[in-house]
Every structure is written in structure tokens, then in C-alpha cells.
């Protein structure tokens, strides 16, 4: 039984109240947070109020949704009315949103209990969780390693029992990569499946919200609660709920193995992936070798497009209406320049500069337009692949969690090679724990599906979880169970 | 190859300041990504559209809905007056 189901059963059987459960998780989160920095802020008052409402309904004998009373965390780039939302930036250090993001509305309607806002790389820009203005998030498996990014706080919180599940955002791997580093399940849904209304935009053609959870079943339950069509996001189409479609029988499933994704892997990741492929074969899946020669172009195409969109999306932070304001300035131009140079951290500034460069005269045609063409070529290539395969399996990241302090460099950019291609093509993908590497650090396998086929990739992931007896999932049992 | 002068121009467009100590490192990093991007030129991309539009984009009905009230919009303003944001006084304040 999944953690959400276990806790839901206990709540319904009145073995614990929702308020007691919320308090248990809040106490644990507050105790661990000084070490891990998984949360930027706690929302204790909101949590206890939602939990009390759930208890009231349980006492009245109401049938409640699956997530009612379940404690969770939201990445701090998802706006929450009246609750500080910072994007982990000095720019928005004291920002209190005036409306709720659609996913937060959905989860309030479910009765889920928000414990706090998850730490992240500033404006979701980074792969290590180290660019946050509020301190770097450390990996619960080994504090000398990073939790990953940019949804590192959410992944670390779920992996260490500071929340039952979390909601992250994924522009180039920001849900899947930290899920892989922290040994939990991270689902990046199809572009358009979950509303981004209220997500502070990084790169609008690539951004997607999704769940991080302790198991495939839990991730599916959360996805079902948030995959709703929403006219406040023009790309929203709504997804198809999956929980009732999952199967752990994948006999005959055609799973593509793209050779290019298995080049330059760290030896411990390569070993874990060999075992994963072997287990999938034992379960009756039909592995098909597939060529994907465009893979090496996906990384530069991604960085060109993501940075170009970021430079545009972040243009609104000028200190005139909200956010950081400089104290001394000479004129309006100087005021705006100082707002941005003092309010944004170095990684955000680097990406804005790069994005401005590729959109400027002389570079626009040579780089930005070429990247757009490549985006469409990659999407087209996937259409060909999904005519032959039901899904694809790759490593999520070529390494296990990096050491703290390496920073965001070309080397860390290149570690995004397996994940960015999915965002470029708008596909769904899930990272599922598939082994442990050197030092006991988790390794994640990524399953990529065709658009709106979350049911296929989650079924393959569920089958793998079951076949391996949940050996790679966190064994987190709160004291109450 | 991006020159130092081009970097300063880009920074001006991006409304960011760059101190001399960071300029060389930034140039190297930007060159690093651009050099990866140059390989795209060797791929035959004829037949593909140069568009960021996605097939999922859709328009909603053109119906007038209530907007957020002005006092709510101004909630995060550092300074406000008469229902307006007050910007920095850059040319002398008119009282």
C-alpha cells in the first residue's frame, strides 16, 4: 500500500487525526530543516487550519478525496495567496502573492495540508539546489552532496520524511533530476496536462508542474488531483487521470533503448542501468534499440531557448511595482539596472545575459531561430520513435548526486543531457529509483512516453517497483504507522 | 566570438551591470554554450518550421470577467498613492 493510501486509511479509521498528522510532519520538518534547508518557509497556521477542517469533515462522516489530510510541500515558485512566495530570490524576498496558483487551488479542494514552501534554485535556474538566496539544499542520503535542482527542496523534503509528497516544476529536468539524486519518484507531465497558472515563469514553452512522491502510486494519485483543464493557462488541455489505468503487467510492452543516452555514464550509473534493463526484460518487456542522433543538439537548443525566454519573462522585475528596490540611484535607467543587478543572483544574471545575447541582432538568426528549428526536428523525431515503441528508458542523470560546491558550470549544464530533450518535445517522463551507486547514493531511471500517455510510463515504473520489491524506494514510515 | 564591447551592449539591453572582474568569465561561459550551438548548423533542418507555437495552444472565449481590485493589485507596492504605483523620483518630485 502506498504512503498516501496508508495515511488516508489511518485518518478514516481515526487512528490519528489530520491535525496530529500535520503536527507530526511539521515537528520533523522543523527539526531537520536547519541541516537540509529543504524549506524556505513553513505555513503552520494554514496547515493546522486545513487539517482541522479535514477532521471536522471526518467527524461528520463525509467521504473525502484521496489527498485529504495528507501533508505536502509546494515549490516556492508556485504562488500562494497571503503566503510569502520568493522564487528563492532576494528580488522577491518579501513578496506575498495576491492570488492562488491553480494547482494550489486544486490541492486545497482535495483537503491536502500545506506544510511549507520548498527551497529551490533561484527562479528555477540551476541543477544543484545551490543558487537559492536562502541557502543550499543538501542531500538527505549524504550531506556532502547536493539534493539537485531546481526542485531540490521538494525532493529532499519527500526523501527525508519532511512531507508525504511535493509539487515541483520542470523546465529541463527540475523535477526528475532532484528526484533521481534523492531516490524518490518525480513525474514531469505532458506539456499542457497541468495548469501553470500561478507558476512564476522561467521558460514558458518548456515549464511544467508535476509531483514528487515516495512511490509511483503516490505520484499517480497527486497527478490525478492536478491534471485539470484551466482557461487561465492558454496551453492547458488537462491530462487524463491515471490511477485506475495503471498495471504492473508490462509483458509485450515495447521499450526503446536509445544508445546515445547511455554514452558517458558514470560507472555506477551504467551498472544500475544495466540491471534495470535486465529487470525490464525479465518482466517480459521487449527492448528495442533506437538511434537518436539529434540528442547531442538538444542541450544547446535547450539552453538557447530557455535562456531567451527567461530574459523575456524576467524583464518585468524592474523594482517599479513590486520586489527589491535599490536605495541609491542616479536616474531611472540606473534604478532599474541596480534593482536587477542587486536583486538577481549570479546564475540568473548569467542566463538573462545569454538569453539577451541570442535574441540580439546578429545572433537571433544564427542561434535562436536554429534552436527553434531543432526543437521541431527533435519533436518530429520522437513522433517517429513512438510509432515503434510504447515508451523509452534512459538514465535520468549520467551521475549520482554531485558534491556540494561544484556550482553551475558547463559540466553541470551537460549533466542535463538526458532530461532536457523531454521538455523540448513536450513529452511526459518519470524518474524512478533504480539502484544505488557509490557511497549509497540513489540512481534514477527515466521512462519517457508519448504525449498524454502518463499511464504507460507510470505502469512501466510501477511494474519495475513491484518486480524489485520496492528495494530502491525510501523506507520512510512515520512513527504513527 | 563575442567581444567585450558586445557584452557591455548586451548587458545594457538586459538592464544589468557587469563589473570588469566578471566580464572575462562571462565571455568564456557564453562562448562555451554558443560553440555547442554552432554544431546545429551542420544538421539539415530544411522542412521544419521556425516557430515556438505548440499544438496545445488554444484561445478561450472572449468574455469580460471581473479583474482584481486596484487595492489588491497594489498590495506589494513599496509606495502607492491614489490608486497608482509610485515610482522612484528621478527628475525631482512634484508635490
Amino acid at each position: 500500500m502506498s504512503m498516501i493510501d496508508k495515511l488516508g486509511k489511518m485518518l478514516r479509521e481515526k487512528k490519528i487525526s489530520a491535525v496530529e498528522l500535520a503536527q507530526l510532519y511539521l515537528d520533523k520538518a522543523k527539526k531537520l530543516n536547519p541541516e537540509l534547508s529543504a524549506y524556505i518557509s513553513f505555513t503552520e497556521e494554514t496547515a493546522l487550519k486545513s487539517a482541522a477542517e479535514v477532521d471536522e469533515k471526518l467527524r461528520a462522516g463525509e467521504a473525502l478525496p484521496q489527498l485529504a489530510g495528507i501533508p505536502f510541500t509546494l515549490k516556492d515558485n508556485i504562488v500562494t495567496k497571503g503566503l510569502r512566495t520568493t522564487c528563492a530570490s532576494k528580488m522577491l524576498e518579501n513578496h506575498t502573492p495576491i492570488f492562488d496558483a491553480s494547482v494550489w487551488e486544486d490541492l486545497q479542494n482535495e483537503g491536502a495540508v500545506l506544510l511549507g514552501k520548498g527551497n529551490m534554485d533561484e527562479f528555477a535556474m540551476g541543477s544543484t539546489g545551490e543558487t537559492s538566496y536562502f541557502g543550499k539544499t543538501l542531500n538527505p542520503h549524504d550531506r556532502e552532496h547536493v539534493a539537485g535542482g531546481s526542485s531540490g527542496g521538494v525532493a529532499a523534503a519527500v526523501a527525508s520524511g519532511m512531507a508525504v509528497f511535493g509539487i515541483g516544476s520542470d523546465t529541463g529536468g527540475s523535477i526528475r533530476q532532484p528526484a533521481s539524486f534523492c531516490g524518490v519518484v518525480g513525474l514531469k507531465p505532458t506539456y499542457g496536462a497541468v495548469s501553470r497558472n500561478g507558476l512564476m515563469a522561467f521558460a514558458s514553452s518548456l515549464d511544467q508542474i508535476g509531483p514528487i512522491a515516495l512511490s509511483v502510486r503516490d505520484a499517480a494519485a497527486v497527478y490525478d488531483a492536478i491534471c485539470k483543464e484551466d482557461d487561465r493557462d492558454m496551453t492547458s488541455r488537462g491530462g487524463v487521470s491515471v490511477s485506475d489505468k495503471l498495471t504492473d503487467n508490462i509483458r509485450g510492452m515495447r521499450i526503446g533503448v536509445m544508445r546515445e543516452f547511455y554514452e558517458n555514464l558514470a560507472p555506477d550509473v551504467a551498472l544500475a542501468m544495466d540491471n534495470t534493463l535486465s529487470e525490464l526484460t525479465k518482466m517480459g518487456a521487449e527492448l528495442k534499440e533506437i538511434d537518436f542522433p539529434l540528442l547531442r543538439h538538444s542541450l544547446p537548443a535547450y539552453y538557447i531557448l530557455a535562456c531567451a525566454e527567461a530574459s523575456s519573462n524576467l524583464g518585468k522585475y524592474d523594482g517599479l511595482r513590486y520586489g527589491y528596490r535599490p536605495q541609491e540611484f542616479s536616474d531611472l535607467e540606473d534604478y532599474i539596472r541596480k534593482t536587477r543587478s542587486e536583486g538577481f543572483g549570479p546564475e540568473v544574471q548569467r542566463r538573462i545575459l545569454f538569453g539577451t545575447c541570442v535574441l540580439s541582432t546578429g545572433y537571433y538568426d544564427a542561434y535562436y531561430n536554429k534552436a527553434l528549428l531543432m526543437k521541431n526536428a527533435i519533436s518530429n523525431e520522437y513522433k517517429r520513435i513512438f510509432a515503434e515503441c510504447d515508451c523509452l528508458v534512459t538514465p535520468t542523470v549520467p551521475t549520482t548526486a554531485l558534491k556540494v560546491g561544484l556550482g553551475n558550470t558547463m559540466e553541470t549544464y551537460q549533466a542535463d543531457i538526458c532530461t532536457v530533450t523531454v521538455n523540448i518535445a513536450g513529452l511526459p517522463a518519470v524518474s524512478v529509483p533504480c539502484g544505488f551507486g557509490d557511497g549509497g547514493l540513489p540512481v534514477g531511471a527515466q521512462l519517457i512516453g508519448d504525449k498524454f500517455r502518463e499511464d504507460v510510463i507510470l505502469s512501466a515504473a510501477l511494474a519495475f517497483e513491484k518486480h524489485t520489491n520496492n528495494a530502491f524506494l525510501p523506507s520512510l514510515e512515520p512513527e504513527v504507522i | 566570438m563575442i567581444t567585450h564591447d558586445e557584452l557591455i551592449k548586451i548587458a545594457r539591453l538586459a538592464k544589468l551591470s557587469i563589473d570588469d572582474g566578471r566580464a572575462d568569465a562571462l565571455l568564456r561561459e557564453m562562448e562555451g554554450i554558443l560553440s555547442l550551438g554552432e554544431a546545429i548548423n551542420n544538421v539539415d533542418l530544411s522542412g521544419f518550421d521556425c516557430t515556438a507555437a505548440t499544438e496545445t495552444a488554444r484561445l478561450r472565449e472572449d468574455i469580460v470577467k471581473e479583474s482584481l481590485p486596484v487595492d489588491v493589485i497594489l498590495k506589494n507596492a513599496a509606495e502607492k498613492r491614489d490608486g497608482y504605483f509610485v515610482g522612484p523620483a528621478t527628475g525631482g518630485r512634484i508635490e
Side-chain angles (χ1 to χ4, degrees):
Chain A
M1 191 185 277
S2 77
M3 184 66 84
I4 289 174
D5 285 344
K6 273 185 203 171
L7 293 173
K9 186 165 179 280
M10 290 181 70
L11 288 168
R12 283 190 300 278
E13 291 173 353
K14 308 221 170 29
K15 290 188 174 155
I16 190 169
S17 72
V19 167
E20 286 168 341
L21 187 63
Q23 198 63 63
L24 189 80
Y25 272 89
L26 278 167
D27 290 347
K28 183 166 184 184
K30 285 183 176 176
K31 190 175 156 200
L32 283 177
N33 205 47
E35 286 174 50
L36 295 176
S37 199
Y39 282 87
I40 287 177
S41 54
F42 289 105
T43 52
E44 185 162 0
E45 200 181 316
T46 302
L48 295 176
K49 186 168 171 280
S50 317
E53 284 168 10
V54 169
D55 284 335
E56 189 60 40
K57 287 176 181 169
L58 283 168
R59 269 194 294 276
E62 281 185 40
L64 294 178
Q66 197 175 4
L67 301 182
I70 306 297
F72 80 104
T73 175
L74 270 180
K75 188 175 179 179
D76 208 23
N77 59 351
I78 297 172
V79 300
T80 43
K81 186 178 173 182
L83 302 171
R84 187 172 73 132
T85 303
T86 66
C87 242
S89 180
K90 183 181 179 182
M91 184 66 84
L92 296 171
E93 186 178 2
N94 299 308
H95 183 67
T96 307
I98 54 175
F99 71 101
D100 282 334
S102 298
V103 283
W104 170 220
E105 279 181 0
D106 291 340
L107 291 165
Q108 286 178 90
N109 291 337
E110 283 274 318
V113 173
L114 178 66
L115 301 174
K117 304 299 291 289
N119 203 357
M120 54 182 280
D121 282 295
E122 184 183 4
F123 280 97
M125 295 180 195
S127 319
T128 64
E130 295 177 292
T131 70
S132 168
Y133 178 62
F134 298 93
K136 55 188 77 161
T137 306
L138 303 183
N139 195 306
H141 293 264
D142 183 339
R143 269 78 164 155
E144 289 184 11
H145 292 257
V146 300
S150 63
S151 311
V154 174
V158 173
S160 58
M162 299 162 84
V164 178
F165 71 89
I167 301 291
S169 66
D170 190 315
T171 304
S174 285
I175 287 174
R176 293 158 286 155
Q177 187 255 35
S180 174
F181 280 5
C182 292
V184 289
V185 176
L187 171 67
K188 182 260 167 206
T190 307
Y191 187 74
V194 177
S195 168
R196 292 98 44 85
N197 173 50
L199 171 69
M200 291 177 174
F202 163 12
S204 308
S205 75
L206 306 164
D207 295 340
Q208 186 57 69
I209 288 175
I212 293 178
L214 287 166
S215 66
V216 172
R217 283 266 178 217
D218 279 358
V222 179
Y223 173 72
D224 286 352
I226 60 175
C227 65
K228 301 203 166 75
E229 191 173 352
D230 181 10
D231 67 5
R232 291 167 292 181
D233 172 359
M234 70 176 289
T235 63
S236 162
R237 294 179 76 185
V240 182
S241 61
V242 292
S243 291
D244 57 353
K245 296 185 185 68
L246 295 188
T247 170
D248 55 20
N249 179 1
I250 57 166
R251 186 159 294 281
M253 185 183 274
R254 299 166 305 163
I255 301 182
V257 180
M258 301 195 282
R259 187 176 43 80
E260 290 85 353
F261 281 79
Y262 291 78
E263 291 166 357
N264 304 316
L265 300 184
D268 52 350
V269 174
L271 184 61
M273 288 311 299
D274 283 347
N275 291 337
T276 302
L277 297 181
S278 164
E279 295 297 335
L280 290 169
T281 308
K282 283 183 203 161
M283 286 184 275
E286 184 192 325
L287 299 188
K288 290 171 74 84
E289 204 163 300
I290 301 280
D291 282 332
F292 193 71
L294 295 182
L295 177 69
R296 70 191 187 94
H297 300 295
S298 58
L299 200 64
Y302 167 79
Y303 273 99
I304 290 167
L305 296 174
C307 292
E309 292 183 33
S311 77
S312 172
N313 275 328
L314 272 63
K316 61 177 168 271
Y317 297 103
D318 55 14
L320 292 173
R321 285 147 298 186
Y322 58 92
Y324 177 80
R325 286 188 152 199
Q327 295 307 307
E328 290 177 16
F329 50 90
S330 56
D331 56 22
L332 185 61
E333 186 78 14
D334 188 45
Y335 173 88
I336 295 172
R337 196 167 46 241
K338 280 194 171 135
T339 295
R340 294 165 63 78
S341 302
E342 293 169 14
F344 290 136
E347 180 62 22
V348 174
Q349 293 191 39
R350 182 157 45 221
R351 296 198 194 198
I352 291 174
L353 283 168
F354 184 66
T356 308
C357 171
V358 296
L359 290 176
S360 64
T361 309
Y363 292 89
Y364 187 92
D365 284 331
Y367 293 96
Y368 180 70
N369 274 346
K370 291 279 165 51
L372 278 180
L373 289 169
M374 181 52 73
K375 179 182 192 231
N376 291 325
I378 289 170
S379 299
N380 196 57
E381 189 71 355
Y382 271 115
K383 278 183 193 155
R384 178 187 66 80
I385 289 169
F386 285 116
E388 298 173 41
C389 300
D390 299 306
C391 67
L392 306 163
V393 61
T394 80
T396 307
V397 196
T399 66
T400 54
L402 304 170
K403 280 252 185 194
V404 170
L406 291 178
N408 285 275
T409 59
M410 281 301 288
E411 194 180 311
T412 53
Y413 286 175
Q414 287 185 352
D416 297 338
I417 184 80
C418 301
T419 49
V420 296
T421 172
V422 167
N423 301 72
I424 286 175
L427 302 171
V430 61
S431 179
V432 62
C434 71
F436 293 101
D438 297 344
L441 288 168
V443 179
Q446 175 177 238
L447 291 147
I448 305 172
D450 202 357
K451 287 183 181 177
F452 297 103
R453 292 313 305 266
E454 279 80 359
D455 59 327
V456 174
I457 54 172
L458 289 173
S459 289
L462 180 70
F464 180 79
E465 238 179 44
K466 191 175 175 194
H467 187 75
T468 54
N469 293 319
N470 303 329
F472 311 120
L473 297 179
S475 52
L476 284 167
E477 296 280 305
E479 295 80 355
V480 289
I481 291 182
Chain B
M1 179 77 186
I2 306 171
T3 64
H4 187 272
D5 285 350
E6 277 179 311
L7 179 65
I8 299 303
K9 183 185 155 206
I10 290 163
R12 198 168 63 241
L13 290 169
K15 304 254 186 291
L16 290 168
S17 39
I18 295 176
D19 57 59
D20 285 342
R22 277 176 63 212
D24 287 346
L26 275 169
L27 279 171
R28 272 198 308 278
E29 287 156 4
M30 288 165 76
E31 278 297 329
I33 306 177
L34 287 179
S35 65
L36 287 176
E38 273 157 21
I40 296 177
N41 289 320
N42 301 326
V43 184
D44 178 13
L45 294 169
S46 55
F48 292 103
D49 289 337
C50 188
T51 173
T54 72
E55 59 197 88
T56 56
R58 65 178 182 83
L59 300 175
R60 64 185 169 201
E61 290 294 307
D62 186 15
I63 300 169
V64 177
K65 290 185 180 173
E66 203 172 325
S67 300
L68 287 167
V70 170
D71 62 323
V72 173
I73 299 277
L74 290 171
K75 240 175 186 162
N76 280 292
E79 206 181 335
K80 55 200 159 194
R81 191 196 305 160
D82 302 332
Y84 289 93
F85 293 99
V86 176
T90 55
R93 192 181 280 266
I94 301 167
E95 295 296 345

